[in-house]
Amino acid sequence: MSGYSSSVKRNESAIASDAESDVEVVPGRPIRRSSSLFSLSSNQEPLPKPDETEYVKFLEDKRHFSMIRNLHMADFITCLNGFSGFYSIISCLRYTLTGKTLYVQRAHFFILLGLFFDFFDGKVARLRNKSSLMGQELDSLADLVSFGVSPATIAFAIGFRSTFDVLVLTFWVLCGLTRLARFNVSTNNIPKDKTGKAKFFEGFPIPTNLGWVAFMAYLVWKDKILEKLPGGVLFEGTFAEVHVLVAGFFLQGCAQISKSLHIPKL
């Protein structure tokens, strides 16, 4: 059992919560699971954390599909967030194949659907008063797809297609990836208030990428895409061709990975 106990200690910091949630893991104290950007109150009672027997059961279960058997209802809802992000990507691919803006509009819709599931999984966990062993990791991965990869795919589909455009979009996605990984590692070290809620975000949370999603939806609505993208192109016709607007993605990516930029939580 000592091996399992050490596994418990190593994994306590990875107890479920939403990827950008208010989490504080303290021995003997229950954890909180609530969406950081979308939680309306910090005064709710935190959820009880999984006990050692749940870790043992999870690690010891050798049955077929044992991982699926150990998922909570909130985890399945988190997976729907990942599904929404992936289907948004597929919709972008259909747009590039057909040129029908219906598909890129659908891509925006599925990102919003992913946002709903990102909010709803924490609510379900609270209604059931259960936290999940894999919830935080699942949520981070789903958020990367829905709020990182799929918005970058939309950007490419609507016209940010030059080599330098794609390099900047790649940087933007990787900033979101490292931002989520850092959160999972450092969340317990962020100062908390007396309710146990983190006082600030360290860098922009990845859901702030939704600002770009809204802006790109506006461009699609106004038919200002492809050759009509506002801001123009620098070094057009050369290997360094790049859209001026792509600088915004670069700056926001830098803001996501910043450690000195503290965004107060409301």
Side-chain angles (χ1 to χ4, degrees):
M1 184 65 71
S2 60
Y4 289 126
S5 299
S6 62
S7 295
V8 172
K9 291 177 182 178
R10 286 196 302 270
N11 285 288
E12 276 190 341
S13 62
I15 293 174
S17 115
D18 296 322
E20 292 293 336
S21 60
D22 308 323
V23 178
E24 183 179 18
V25 179
V26 178
R29 184 184 298 180
I31 68 166
R32 182 186 305 276
R33 177 180 178 128
S34 60
S35 297
S36 60
L37 242 70
F38 317 114
S39 87
L40 302 178
S41 172
S42 62
N43 298 318
Q44 297 173 321
E45 286 298 316
L47 292 176
K49 66 181 180 180
D51 57 28
E52 183 172 342
T53 59
E54 291 187 62
Y55 282 103
V56 173
K57 179 182 176 182
F58 182 84
L59 296 171
E60 212 174 41
D61 194 341
K62 305 297 183 183
R63 297 174 295 173
H64 290 298
F65 306 110
S66 60
M67 185 186 72
I68 295 175
R69 293 170 186 264
N70 285 290
L71 292 177
H72 291 208
M73 184 181 293
D75 296 330
F76 286 106
I77 295 173
T78 301
C79 288
L80 289 175
N81 177 13
F83 160 79
S84 300
F86 177 71
Y87 207 91
S88 173
I89 295 169
I90 294 298
S91 297
C92 288
L93 296 177
R94 285 178 172 159
Y95 167 69
T96 58
L97 289 172
T98 66
K100 296 179 180 179
T101 55
L102 165 68
Y103 289 117
V104 77
Q105 290 168 347
R106 185 180 296 175
H108 285 96
F109 167 77
F110 274 100
I111 290 178
L112 293 179
L113 190 62
L115 177 64
F116 167 76
F117 289 129
D118 191 40
F119 169 80
F120 194 54
D121 61 359
K123 293 298 181 183
V124 169
R126 183 161 298 284
L127 286 172
R128 303 190 66 205
N129 198 36
K130 280 189 175 182
S131 54
S132 163
L133 293 171
M134 295 198 302
Q136 178 170 308
E137 312 308 326
L138 280 175
D139 204 90
S140 292
L141 294 168
D143 282 357
L144 178 64
V145 177
S146 292
F147 309 136
V149 179
S150 58
T153 308
I154 291 176
F156 177 86
I158 67 171
F160 295 96
R161 299 179 179 180
S162 75
T163 299
F164 275 80
D165 289 341
V166 173
L167 287 174
V168 173
L169 291 175
T170 302
F171 170 79
W172 187 59
V173 171
L174 293 178
C175 286
L177 170 64
T178 52
R179 170 69 174 81
L180 290 167
R182 185 182 68 190
F183 173 83
N184 289 349
V185 171
S186 66
T187 182
N188 293 331
N189 297 322
I190 296 177
K192 309 290 193 299
D193 61 23
K194 60 183 180 181
T195 69
K197 179 182 178 182
K199 292 182 178 179
F200 54 80
F201 292 112
E202 196 174 64
F204 279 10
I206 194 169
T208 57
N209 291 356
L210 293 170
W212 279 107
V213 173
F215 177 65
M216 290 188 291
Y218 171 80
L219 294 180
V220 173
W221 178 49
K222 291 293 187 181
D223 192 29
K224 294 185 176 181
I225 58 177
L226 301 176
E227 294 82 8
K228 303 175 187 176
L229 281 171
V233 180
L234 296 177
F235 314 115
E236 188 170 3
T238 71
F239 78 97
E241 180 176 320
V242 63
H243 285 85
V244 173
L245 276 179
V246 85
F249 289 95
F250 177 80
L251 293 174
Q252 200 222 354
C254 292
Q256 287 187 77
I257 60 176
S258 170
K259 283 188 68 70
S260 58
L261 181 61
H262 294 167
I263 311 298
K265 289 192 175 185
L266 301 177

